Structure formats: structure tokens, C-alpha cells
Amino acid sequence: MSDCIFCKIVAGDLPCDRVYEDEHVIAFNDMHPQAPHHILVIPKTHVAGVNDFSDEQQLLLGAIVLAAKKIAAQLSVAEDGYRLVMNCNGHGGQTVFHTHMHFLAGRQMLWPPG
Ligand code: AMP
Ligand code: ZN
């Protein structure tokens, strides 16, 4: 999608601080980190949000979570723990409409979130 900033990152037209990449996803540091490790895991294909995933994209959704698991191991935070968040639409607080999973680690997370 030509006016999507995350599609531009996937295409290499916008820079990012990449921490992980495979066939299905790319992951990079969030520009406004909310934790010592704050990474966005995004599918390489444009899907606006969780509401837009089809049943046929089950593997792609799984790839996002599996990438997070690999990043946790890469950063040696798997044992301590981490938080995965996917914001959807207005009440979810989504601001970028290319699906992304927030990977947050390196500090104690609080519950409930704000
Ligand atoms: P959300 O509010 O869930 O849509 O999250 C969007 C996230 O994308 C925010 O945490 C932003 O800081 C982050 N973000 C937006 N543009 C960029 C970018 N070019 N590089 C890295 N992170 C970005
Ligand atoms: Zn996009």
C-alpha cells in the first residue's frame, strides 16, 4: 500500500532499526520505546488490522507470534518474560493501520494497562 509507512519500511523506502526478519515478517525497534526492549513485529504483506485477517492468513498470524518467541530468545528475555500487544482500531489505541505486534520486555509490566 503506497501511503502506508510500514509498507515503506518493508520495501526499504523508509529506514528502520531491524532486529529480526524472515519470509513472512520483519521486526524493528519502535521509535518511541515504552520499555527497554520495544519492538514491532509486522507482516510483510499489508493487512490493516486484526479485523482484516482472513482464515487463509492463519499461518501469517502465527508467524508474527513465532517471530516474537524467537526475538525473546535472541534478546535472552524469554525466561524473565515479555508482553505482546496488538492494538485494534480506536478503543485499542491503534495509530498505524498496518498490523503490528508490540513486543515489550526488560521491565516489569503492569496490569491492567492504561
Ligand atoms: P499503535 O499505536 O499500536 O498503532 O502503534 C504504532 C507504533 O508505531 C507506535 O508505538 C509508534 O511509536 C510506532 N512507529 C510509528 N512509526 C514508526 C517508525 N517509522 N519506526 C518505528 N516505529 C514507528
Ligand atoms: Zn502497509
Side-chain angles (χ1 to χ4, degrees):
M1 218 186 156
S2 59
D3 59 348
C4 169
I5 53 168
F6 286 180
C7 280
K8 286 184 179 147
I9 286 175
V10 171
D13 296 335
L14 260 185
C16 74
D17 188 10
R18 187 173 50 205
V19 299
Y20 176 85
E21 182 170 8
D22 65 29
E23 183 190 348
H24 301 289
V25 311
I26 183 167
F28 51 89
N29 284 316
D30 195 292
M31 69 191 328
H32 296 124
Q34 303 301 315
H37 298 292
H38 186 174
I39 293 158
L40 301 174
V41 185
I42 72 169
K44 286 185 171 175
T45 54
H46 182 87
V47 183
V50 172
N51 286 341
D52 303 291
F53 275 85
S54 65
D55 289 350
E56 289 70 34
Q57 288 173 309
Q58 195 179 136
L59 282 175
L60 183 55
L61 261 178
I64 294 170
V65 181
L66 286 173
K69 171 192 155 179
K70 289 171 193 165
I71 291 164
Q74 198 173 293
L75 297 174
S76 302
V77 299
E79 196 66 27
D80 281 347
Y82 51 93
R83 179 171 288 175
L84 303 177
V85 177
M86 293 175 92
N87 296 326
C88 187
N89 283 345
H91 281 187
Q94 185 175 9
T95 59
V96 176
F97 290 86
H98 177 130
T99 298
H100 47 281
M101 175 176 275
H102 295 260
F103 175 101
L104 298 145
R107 66 167 170 81
Q108 179 62 57
M109 302 298 153
L110 303 175
W111 194 264

